[in-house]
Amino acid sequence: MTAYPQTALAQQASIPVSDARDIGPNSVRFAAAQFSNDAPTIVLLGLRSERWPVVRKAIQDAADNGARVDGIHIGPIDAEPALEIYAKGQLVTRPINPNTIGRIELTRLIQDIVGEFY
């Protein structure tokens, strides 16, 4: 099992982090969609542990700039890599590889989604 320093993000931005690495990707997606009514939720599948700090920093930067995120759902690490953002119960991003997206690009994407949907 890969360890992710989940509490650091939760403490900094008050964003709940769900460790759902032991359930199927579709169950993780379903849960994320259910909690995206007031602010977006983010699903991370197949995330390499060394990329977690980059993703965490991007989400923190977006939150620091006023973009609320209601939750992060970390799914199975052996799933096809995917970073998915849900808003208003729907997937609103195209396929994104969490192991290659840049911090600034992800921060802007989160801010854009918050601006468009909330």
Side-chain angles (χ1 to χ4, degrees):
M1 179 185 282
T2 304
Y4 295 97
Q6 300 167 8
T7 55
L9 179 65
Q11 290 172 354
Q12 292 172 11
S14 299
I15 301 170
V17 178
S18 169
D19 183 347
R21 290 176 279 170
D22 58 343
I23 63 174
N26 287 335
S27 296
V28 176
R29 290 174 172 119
F30 179 78
Q34 300 306 305
F35 293 101
S36 65
N37 288 330
D38 298 324
T41 57
I42 299 172
V43 168
L44 299 167
L45 303 171
L47 178 67
R48 296 189 321 248
S49 61
E50 66 270 12
R51 289 291 298 172
W52 172 242
V54 174
V55 172
R56 180 185 66 223
K57 179 65 174 144
I59 296 168
Q60 180 66 51
D61 288 350
D64 288 347
N65 288 315
R68 182 175 161 206
V69 173
D70 261 3
I72 301 165
H73 302 262
I74 299 176
I77 60 172
D78 60 350
E80 184 71 27
L83 185 152
E84 302 171 351
I85 302 176
Y86 290 80
K88 303 288 184 181
Q90 298 182 30
L91 176 63
V92 297
T93 55
R94 295 180 182 202
I96 299 168
N97 186 331
N99 299 313
T100 60
I101 189 168
R103 180 181 59 83
I104 293 170
E105 180 184 7
L106 178 55
T107 299
R108 287 184 184 147
L109 177 61
I110 294 167
Q111 292 172 318
D112 289 348
I113 289 170
V114 169
E116 181 176 344
F117 291 92
Y118 302 94

